[in-house]
Amino acid sequence: MKVQTVLSTSVALLSALAASVGAFDLNDVKRTTSGSIVPGRYIVEFDSNAHRSSAGLKRSGEASYGTPHEAVYAQLKERSAAYVVHQEYACDLFYGASISLESDTDLANLLAIEGVIDFRPVHLLQLPAQPLSLQDLQWTTNHPSPSPTTGFSNLPQIQADQVHASGNKGKGVQIAIIDGGVDYTRTPLGGCFGSGCKIAGGYDFVGDDYDGSNDPVPDNDPLDTCYTHGSITAGIIGANDNEYNVTGVAPEASLYQYRVFGCNGATTDDIVLQAMQRSYDEGADVINLSVGETSGWTESMLSVFASRLVSAGTIIAVSAGNQGQVGAFYSYSPAAGQGVINVGSSDNSIYPAQLATTSTGYGPITYYNYQAFASGSYPVYVYSSDPSDSNYGCVVPDDTPDLSGYLVVVRRGGCSLSDKARFAYLAGATAIFVVNTPDTVPIYQNFPLINFALVSSADGEYLLSQVQSGNNTSGNFTVNFSFNPIAVPNVWTGNTTSYFSEIGPTNDLFFAPSVVAPGSNIIGVVPSTYNNWSITEGTSWSSAFVAGAAALYLNARDNNVSPDKVKAALEYSAEQLPVSVTDTSLANVAVQGAGRIQIAEAINPGAIVSPAEILLNDTAYFAGVQYLTLNNPTKKSITYKLSNIPAGTALAYQTGLNQSNDQPVPQISNAASVKFSQTSVYLWPGATTVVLMQFTAPQGLDAKTFPIYSGFIQVSGGSTPVQVPYLGVAAKMKDMPVIDPTPYYLGMNTPTILDGSGAVQEGTGNYNFQNGSFPSVMYRLVGGTPLLLIDLVDASANLTFTPNYNSRKRSASPLAIDVELEAMKRSFVESRRIQTNNLSANWRSSKTTSLISLWCQLTNYKGKGCAAAGGKSNTFAKVPILGNLYEADYIPRSTDNADGQGGDYSTFALEQAKFANGTVIPNGTYKFLMRALHITGDRTKEADYEAWVSKPFTVSQ
């Protein structure tokens, strides 16, 4: 994944936006059911033996079906279900299909088939908008090549240059790239396609015009000249030596490109699953997936299948995601798959920039832009005799002449950069330099009609001093431009974690990310239609660095090592990163994982340790006793020493509010302590021992902030130290609030009903379901939930429990919120795992818990196997619902839109007076019942849900 530009908004502005009620406008709410789910389309998993007569799927004496697919389709036809098959999957890891159904009645029929064992709704996956336009002038091969000393390579940051120097460039390793297509005609990407070429194989699953909603047009050629993402990924992994010295991590590996995105960067996860299966079938050693979607859980279909691929011997690197701005507990899928290498981003140690000269000989001047300004000499102009004026550059004085051909110089501040660029353009200027404030990160900003760049405070002050601003003349002083790129040391954020990089852990407390790798200011290969080169950023590129590094590791081990060993080596050899260049305390493990990969040390470690990551869980299920296996891989005896290196404790939620903290998530110094059975271990060559460790969680923390504490167990004494990261939460995850009980963000009590006009329903609503007359539910989730339900109940129903949330109880006061939360929490019964319903052995052995849950909801607990699920111990099933309207599994929390990506609220629209199973809702007066299961909650216990009951409304058709 990538982001288009370096975000210039300050942390203070982001925080103000999050806290501002005015940031939300009810008029912008669409009365539709939100989310990325493709309506009516499902990835369905079949029992691999579903086609055998012994499974009981055919009458006695009849022949078996040829495949599990035939068996399932035949049963759908027997039930008169209307369905369309989009994709089929048939390998030893997954039998199934992507199927569209016309109604939820057809879904109920599908779930009743015994050969069906699991399913997930299909999701639309959308990459960010194309970062480049065809009009952009990027770094073309028509320019003179820069000096080899310009140092644009990122390989030294992960030690890949050292591995290359040893002769290892990934030869013999097959890497699958599931992404956009690739412009393999580019020389750095080999110039050809097929056997003997760098891009040795692949497939196009979609075609240029695919947008996620139309029919894909597949073919055997993954050539892509209309979207840059796949080419950049391929270049980072395996580009040949080139004019910008940005050689790929594994330039001698064989790359197989599987195109799943069309020209607009959209796809669906059933197509991605098809590409994952094909890459496995075609022998991939490593799979790179620079794609994903918000999840927060390890349970999505892509995550589950990725975990199976890992178990089958395939290494998988996946980008962590680019929404780090919205805080912790917001991981992506399929990066969350167990065993997958989940890769976040570290900021580049270099800042690509351009050089200009002056007519006075001062300089050169470094200016920050993707590309060089058009060649030539530009006279300099300033607007005012007082450039210290805070509005300088935000207005154009009336006496300003035509500035055609001029370079305008202004200071930063007073208005937006875009305003300064716009006013200079309106005055006719050809280019503009904005003088940056001291010690401030420069940003890249492109405007289509004027050359724009930031320059340092020192260089800017020199330019301003040279201009006779009193009479608005420029004299003979000029700035001269030519193509002259340079790699500037990144003294502002280099070698720290990237602001946009996703922050974990998952809601079920697995590491996310696992490691980090460079992801900002990356010079990448793009199709020739985009002028060959660009600078971009995102965890997409971080993942590609790790995929290439995995290939180097495999080459060093003769391709004979399991994925868990590769992941472990990358983790325990990683370099830990600080919070910032001025704060040398270590960034929380939820932010950096094990740290930035160091592939040379991974290949030749000072020690081998297991496990490579330590999961301490929460306070309810604290796993404080841990064992560390330590092996001496060298040919000499070594005395190893063990120590605890604490990292910061991150406060995921705001004090006094059940709202998450944005990035940078506050860190405090409270740290866990560790007692070792032995702190010094003497090992002969090849010897192994086990060390017992007793962890104690940090004290003095407010559990309502859901503190994420972390650190590293360091093992020193070998040629290089190794570190094992650990992470825990000093709170009960079950206490994490789910439904937002405050008007803190939206400025109104929610959940709430929106009426046919989109306004908040007052009193009893009346809906005839014609001409837009239908109710919608708007809500926010401040925590993830494994199960969200919206059911219909009679307006006068006795619910057998008191809803946790009701509009009349709302208050914006933090004190009132705390009181309400405490009352809510007292009603909960602790349970770590979702319990399997008490069903028959046959049913339990073939169906997943989530499938059984939905089946019973669709049939109001009257379907096969559901009678037992509604037994005496199932307080959830005793609630007198009339029928289910909406169900979603394993969904993430809402954000405050700090990253500009939305996701700050959700909606459910009852557009037709029907239950989810297709049954018509009779005329009458009803209420919505929303229930959200707490993390670690038991689906059968009503007390484990947060619940809201709406105002009454009438259905009158």
Side-chain angles (χ1 to χ4, degrees):
M1 296 174 177
K2 59 186 177 304
V3 289
Q4 280 183 256
T5 60
V6 180
L7 296 178
S8 60
T9 309
S10 69
V11 174
L13 276 176
L14 291 175
S15 299
L17 173 63
S20 171
V21 171
F24 173 76
D25 188 348
L26 187 61
N27 293 322
D28 294 333
V29 177
K30 296 180 180 180
R31 292 194 308 128
T32 58
T33 299
S34 58
S36 60
I37 292 175
V38 178
R41 190 160 154 186
Y42 306 92
I43 298 174
V44 186
E45 183 171 8
F46 305 155
D47 186 333
S48 60
N49 293 314
H51 58 300
R52 303 185 186 280
S53 58
S54 59
L57 301 182
K58 298 207 76 173
R59 291 186 295 273
S60 177
E62 293 185 349
S64 298
Y65 295 110
T67 67
H69 302 77
E70 292 178 8
V72 171
Y73 301 156
Q75 292 180 86
L76 282 171
K77 292 176 182 177
E78 289 174 4
R79 291 165 169 79
S80 299
Y83 70 95
V84 174
V85 176
H86 299 279
Q87 308 283 338
E88 287 190 333
Y89 315 101
C91 72
D92 55 340
L93 302 180
F94 189 88
Y95 281 89
S98 167
I99 299 175
S100 284
L101 302 169
E102 286 191 0
S103 70
D104 284 313
T105 301
D106 297 324
L107 175 58
N109 284 326
L110 175 69
L111 301 185
I113 295 173
E114 294 187 18
V116 171
I117 61 175
D118 198 6
F119 90 110
R120 294 286 192 281
V122 169
H123 289 254
L124 179 70
L125 304 180
Q126 188 78 48
L127 286 173
Q130 180 75 282
L132 316 175
S133 70
L134 289 173
Q135 288 72 41
D136 282 343
L137 295 174
Q138 300 302 317
W139 294 11
T140 74
T141 54
N142 296 326
H143 287 301
S145 296
S147 166
T149 62
T150 49
F152 291 110
S153 175
N154 303 122
L155 300 186
Q157 296 174 58
I158 63 169
Q159 299 181 336
D161 59 330
Q162 299 178 34
V163 179
H164 286 188
S166 72
N168 177 357
K169 296 185 178 181
K171 187 174 183 178
V173 180
Q174 182 173 321
I175 304 176
I177 303 171
I178 299 175
D179 206 301
V182 59
D183 185 359
Y184 50 72
T185 66
R186 293 294 321 281
T187 300
L189 297 179
C192 60
F193 173 68
S195 178
C197 299
K198 177 177 294 294
I199 310 297
Y203 191 77
D204 183 348
F205 288 89
V206 291
D208 285 357
D209 297 330
Y210 184 68
D211 62 8
S213 63
N214 53 355
D215 291 331
V217 181
D219 63 55
N220 293 318
D221 187 349
L223 179 67
D224 181 355
T225 61
C226 63
Y227 201 81
T228 62
H229 198 273
S231 293
I232 296 173
T233 303
I236 292 170
I237 293 174
N240 294 325
D241 292 340
N242 52 72
E243 63 268 35
Y244 294 109
N245 309 303
V246 284
T247 306
V249 182
E252 294 181 1
S254 297
L255 308 186
Y256 284 66
Q257 195 91 12
Y258 299 93
R259 187 187 189 193
V260 295
F261 292 97
C263 292
N264 73 345
T267 192
T268 51
D269 54 7
D270 55 344
I271 290 177
V272 175
L273 183 64
Q274 185 86 324
M276 293 169 72
Q277 177 180 300
R278 180 160 182 156
S279 60
Y280 168 75
D281 290 340
E282 294 184 349
D285 301 304
V286 181
I287 296 176
N288 183 80
L289 279 161
S290 291
V291 301
E293 62 175 335
T294 306
S295 169
W297 300 89
T298 58
E299 299 291 337
S300 78
M301 185 63 80
L302 291 185
S303 290
V304 170
F305 189 63
S307 298
R308 293 182 188 177
L309 289 173
V310 171
S311 297
T314 305
I315 299 162
I316 299 186
V318 186
S319 53
N322 297 327
Q323 290 184 272
Q325 296 93 335
V326 304
F329 292 107
Y330 205 69
S331 60
Y332 263 51
S333 167
Q338 296 184 40
V340 168
I341 307 175
N342 183 325
V343 189
S345 173
S346 60
D347 270 3
N348 206 328
S349 62
I350 62 173
Y351 239 84
Q354 312 286 338
L355 292 179
T357 60
T358 65
S359 57
T360 61
Y362 173 87
I365 289 174
T366 301
Y367 64 101
Y368 296 90
N369 199 307
Y370 290 116
Q371 70 270 351
F373 287 8
S375 296
S377 296
Y378 296 46
V380 180
Y381 189 87
V382 297
Y383 294 125
S384 168
S385 59
D386 183 16
S388 63
D389 182 354
S390 62
N391 290 320
Y392 183 64
C394 300
V395 294
V396 177
D398 293 337
D399 61 348
T400 301
D402 180 5
L403 297 180
S404 298
Y406 278 86
L407 167 69
V408 172
V409 180
V410 298
R411 281 193 176 89
R412 189 172 185 175
C415 59
S416 68
L417 297 178
S418 60
D419 280 345
K420 291 181 184 287
R422 178 165 57 89
F423 287 125
Y425 166 74
L426 292 175
T430 300
I432 181 173
F433 273 175
V434 177
V435 182
N436 206 7
T437 51
D439 302 319
T440 302
V441 181
I443 66 169
Y444 300 112
Q445 188 76 280
N446 273 356
F447 298 104
L449 300 175
I450 188 171
N451 289 313
F452 176 96
L454 268 74
V455 296
S456 71
S457 175
D459 286 344
E461 293 301 329
Y462 176 81
L463 295 175
L464 291 170
S465 71
Q466 294 301 302
V467 180
Q468 301 172 12
S469 56
N471 56 9
N472 287 340
T473 60
S474 62
N476 296 319
F477 179 59
T478 62
V479 176
N480 311 309
F481 295 96
S482 62
F483 182 69
N484 192 5
I486 187 173
V488 178
N490 181 0
V491 298
W492 307 278
T493 65
N495 306 312
T496 65
T497 57
S498 300
Y499 188 74
F500 56 81
S501 185
E502 214 73 12
I503 303 174
T506 66
N507 288 322
D508 32 11
L509 300 188
F510 289 95
F511 276 32
S514 312
V515 292
V516 296
S520 69
N521 303 334
I522 304 299
I523 297 173
V525 184
V526 298
S528 55
T529 48
Y530 289 89
N531 291 305
N532 303 311
W533 297 91
S534 184
I535 306 172
T536 187
E537 64 176 21
T539 57
S540 284
W541 323 136
S542 309
S543 176
F545 277 107
V546 169
L552 299 182
Y553 191 92
L554 289 179
N555 176 278
R557 296 288 184 272
D558 296 323
N559 212 349
N560 185 26
V561 62
S562 62
D564 62 314
K565 294 293 191 290
V566 177
K567 180 181 179 182
L570 293 176
E571 288 184 314
Y572 61 65
S573 63
E575 174 189 14
Q576 287 69 60
L577 300 182
V579 171
S580 68
V581 294
T582 57
D583 183 352
T584 58
S585 59
L586 297 181
N588 191 279
V589 170
V591 178
Q592 68 168 313
R596 185 172 61 188
I597 64 167
Q598 301 292 282
I599 183 59
E601 292 181 17
I603 293 172
N604 297 294
I608 295 175
V609 292
S610 178
E613 54 186 44
I614 297 173
L615 306 174
L616 298 176
N617 224 308
D618 65 356
T619 56
Y621 306 98
F622 181 56
V625 177
Q626 298 283 337
Y627 298 87
L628 189 68
T629 301
L630 175 60
N631 170 260
N632 178 2
T634 72
K635 296 181 179 180
K636 64 178 183 177
S637 298
I638 297 176
T639 298
Y640 293 103
K641 295 186 180 300
L642 289 85
S643 59
N644 174 32
I645 310 296
T649 292
L651 305 182
Y653 280 72
Q654 299 179 43
T655 302
L657 286 172
N658 61 345
Q659 306 287 330
S660 58
N661 274 311
D662 288 338
Q663 168 76 316
V665 177
Q667 285 195 186
I668 58 177
S669 59
N670 304 50
S673 60
V674 185
K675 290 183 178 180
F676 299 93
S677 60
Q678 45 191 330
T679 58
S680 181
V681 178
Y682 180 81
L683 290 181
W684 294 93
T688 298
T689 192
V690 176
V691 176
L692 172 66
M693 300 175 293
Q694 175 67 62
F695 287 81
T696 301
Q699 304 300 307
L701 299 173
D702 179 3
K704 294 178 184 178
T705 64
F706 291 90
I708 305 168
Y709 62 93
S710 65
F712 300 86
I713 301 302
Q714 185 178 80
V715 180
S716 58
S719 56
T720 57
V722 299
Q723 292 81 207
V724 178
Y726 63 83
L727 179 147
V729 175
K732 296 176 182 177
M733 290 300 291
K734 193 173 184 180
D735 287 346
M736 183 175 284
V738 186
I739 301 174
D740 190 350
T742 76
Y744 171 80
Y745 178 77
L746 296 177
M748 64 183 71
N749 291 321
T750 57
T752 190
I753 299 179
L754 303 182
D755 63 20
S757 67
V760 174
Q761 176 186 301
E762 300 293 342
T764 300
N766 184 56
Y767 303 97
N768 61 19
F769 296 87
Q770 296 180 13
N771 301 317
S773 174
F774 61 85
S776 303
V777 177
M778 183 175 69
Y779 59 96
R780 289 190 80 235
L781 301 179
V782 291
T785 176
L787 178 62
L788 179 73
L789 299 167
I790 301 178
D791 298 310
L792 197 67
V793 297
D794 190 275
S796 58
N798 179 5
L799 296 179
T800 72
F801 69 96
T802 301
N804 306 101
Y805 299 121
N806 195 304
S807 295
R808 65 178 180 272
K809 293 163 54 180
R810 299 307 170 86
S811 169
S813 164
L815 177 61
I817 292 168
D818 288 344
V819 172
E820 183 174 336
L821 285 175
E822 285 303 320
M824 173 192 72
K825 291 172 185 176
R826 284 195 296 270
S827 69
F828 295 150
V829 178
E830 297 298 337
S831 174
R832 170 57 175 165
R833 299 185 183 279
I834 298 170
Q835 301 299 314
T836 303
N837 293 327
N838 183 23
L839 305 175
S840 68
N842 253 353
W843 187 262
R844 185 172 61 248
S845 65
S846 60
K847 305 285 185 180
T848 62
T849 301
S850 59
L851 187 149
I852 295 169
S853 175
L854 178 57
W855 161 251
C856 293
Q857 291 154 26
L858 288 173
T859 61
N860 286 342
Y861 289 89
K862 297 177 182 178
K864 177 184 177 183
C866 294
K872 292 182 180 180
S873 64
N874 191 341
T875 55
F876 171 79
K878 294 180 183 299
V879 177
I881 67 171
L882 299 174
N884 176 255
L885 302 172
Y886 176 78
E887 184 267 354
D889 291 313
Y890 301 109
I891 56 179
R893 64 171 174 84
S894 302
T895 75
D896 60 9
N897 198 25
D899 60 345
Q901 300 297 310
D904 46 341
Y905 64 90
S906 298
T907 51
F908 163 73
L910 186 63
E911 298 184 57
Q912 299 182 44
K914 292 183 178 180
F915 293 106
N917 63 7
T919 304
V920 174
I921 300 172
N923 288 344
T925 303
Y926 306 100
K927 292 181 179 179
F928 290 114
L929 169 61
M930 174 184 287
R931 288 177 286 180
L933 183 64
H934 274 271
I935 296 171
T936 76
D938 185 335
R939 292 181 183 229
T940 68
K941 293 182 179 180
E942 185 58 42
D944 284 7
Y945 291 79
E946 291 185 2
W948 164 80
V949 177
S950 74
K951 293 180 179 180
F953 64 93
T954 299
V955 174
S956 56
Q957 297 190 82

